[in-house]
Amino acid sequence: NKVKSVIDEIEVYEKEKIEIIRDKMLKNPTKYMQVWAKLLKRDLIIANELTFNNKMRLAEDSDFILRYSKFCEKIVLSSICIYEYSLNPFSVMRTFDEEKKWDYIFAMKETSKLIEKESAQIQNAFDKYILMHMNILFVRETFNISNKIKYSEKISNMKVIVQNKIFKNALNRTKIVECMHVRMLPILLIKMHLLYFAGMIYLIRAWQNYKRESIA
């Protein structure tokens, strides 16, 4: 029975299905695009001269996985817990430094260079990838509990960030119907120019992160 349950938790993607799982991974990068949650083939990395982009301070693992997955002939997902991940409250990701927004913007611009020759499906998914990182930027930086500026100033900062070309283009290309998911709710509000309400969602998520990570 135990063997059967393990087999039931495995999903295999091959050939034309590779595009399906890469699409899924890009749309939910915090779940699928980490390097630490992967077993990677060393031969594939060497054969295609794959390395981390050492210019990036953030999202460099997602950038690597995007490039790596392009050469995969098979991708297998498993929900089996075989890795223990410890939260570090002092990591680059979880500390507020006021300048991290530029690191996110730079990372999105760098990774966008990889997308130009990809299929329309992957390019569309990459827009969601950008917007998910915009969500992270707002939660981890703009509305971070350690950011002591007034709420009105945070909203003003949001207005500036969403007008940045990399985010603005992704917002414009994303249809309203594609925002009907809880993760996309603040994106929907931003598209409707309801930044004040989008900000409230980011503030709540920032508080949730703070409480969860303080306990951890």
Side-chain angles (χ1 to χ4, degrees):
N1 290 337
K2 187 175 181 180
V3 174
K4 184 177 185 299
S5 66
V6 168
I7 294 173
D8 288 345
E9 294 176 345
I10 291 176
E11 299 175 35
V12 180
Y13 296 83
E14 297 180 88
K15 299 177 181 178
E16 68 277 0
K17 291 185 178 180
I18 292 289
E19 197 90 333
I20 295 172
I21 187 55
R22 292 182 79 220
D23 175 285
K24 183 177 181 179
M25 290 167 67
L26 278 168
K27 289 177 178 177
N28 196 350
T30 56
K31 182 176 181 178
Y32 293 109
M33 297 294 282
Q34 315 93 329
V35 171
W36 59 261
K38 308 287 184 299
L39 290 174
L40 308 175
K41 290 187 69 174
R42 182 173 181 271
D43 291 347
L44 192 152
I45 294 172
I46 293 173
N48 295 286
E49 300 180 337
L50 299 174
T51 59
F52 281 84
N53 185 333
N54 57 18
K55 297 178 182 178
M56 298 167 65
R57 191 164 76 108
L58 294 170
E60 71 280 7
D61 53 347
S62 296
D63 179 88
F64 181 87
I65 291 299
L66 176 61
R67 288 184 286 119
Y68 178 91
S69 64
K70 186 175 181 178
F71 299 102
C72 290
E73 296 180 359
K74 178 189 292 186
I75 294 178
V76 179
L77 298 188
S78 173
S79 59
I80 304 169
C81 184
I82 57 174
Y83 187 98
E84 183 176 340
Y85 182 85
S86 298
L87 292 176
N88 177 7
F90 304 107
S91 68
V92 174
M93 179 75 171
R94 292 182 172 82
T95 52
F96 171 69
D97 63 15
E98 297 185 282
E99 297 299 319
K100 204 182 298 175
K101 58 180 176 290
W102 304 118
D103 292 319
Y104 277 114
I105 290 169
F106 177 78
M108 296 303 101
K109 289 180 178 178
E110 281 291 289
T111 305
S112 68
K113 298 174 184 177
L114 308 174
I115 299 297
E116 296 174 358
K117 295 183 180 180
E118 292 275 8
S119 67
Q121 180 179 357
I122 295 302
Q123 290 185 28
N124 178 271
F126 186 68
D127 282 335
K128 312 308 176 295
Y129 171 91
I130 290 172
L131 296 178
M132 288 303 99
H133 279 87
M134 187 176 76
N135 275 348
I136 297 169
L137 185 164
F138 287 139
V139 172
R140 292 292 181 181
E141 283 293 292
T142 308
F143 294 91
N144 191 299
I145 302 307
S146 298
N147 187 353
K148 301 303 182 182
I149 65 174
K150 295 179 180 178
Y151 186 76
S152 58
E153 293 180 70
K154 294 180 179 182
I155 297 300
S156 295
N157 289 343
M158 270 187 73
K159 290 179 181 179
V160 173
I161 292 169
V162 299
Q163 288 302 312
N164 186 279
K165 185 177 179 180
I166 193 73
F167 295 131
K168 185 177 181 179
N169 288 346
L171 281 165
N172 289 340
R173 288 190 294 258
T174 299
K175 299 176 182 178
I176 293 292
V177 69
E178 295 178 290
C179 299
M180 302 305 174
H181 188 282
V182 65
R183 289 184 293 111
M184 294 289 283
L185 179 56
I187 302 300
L188 174 63
L189 293 171
I190 290 171
K191 284 184 67 67
M192 296 172 68
H193 307 290
L194 299 173
L195 271 66
Y196 183 90
F197 297 103
M200 292 301 294
I201 294 175
Y202 291 130
L203 190 61
I204 292 168
R205 291 181 181 177
W207 269 108
Q208 289 172 335
N209 285 343
Y210 175 75
K211 290 181 179 178
R212 181 173 63 251
E213 292 163 13
S214 295
I215 294 171

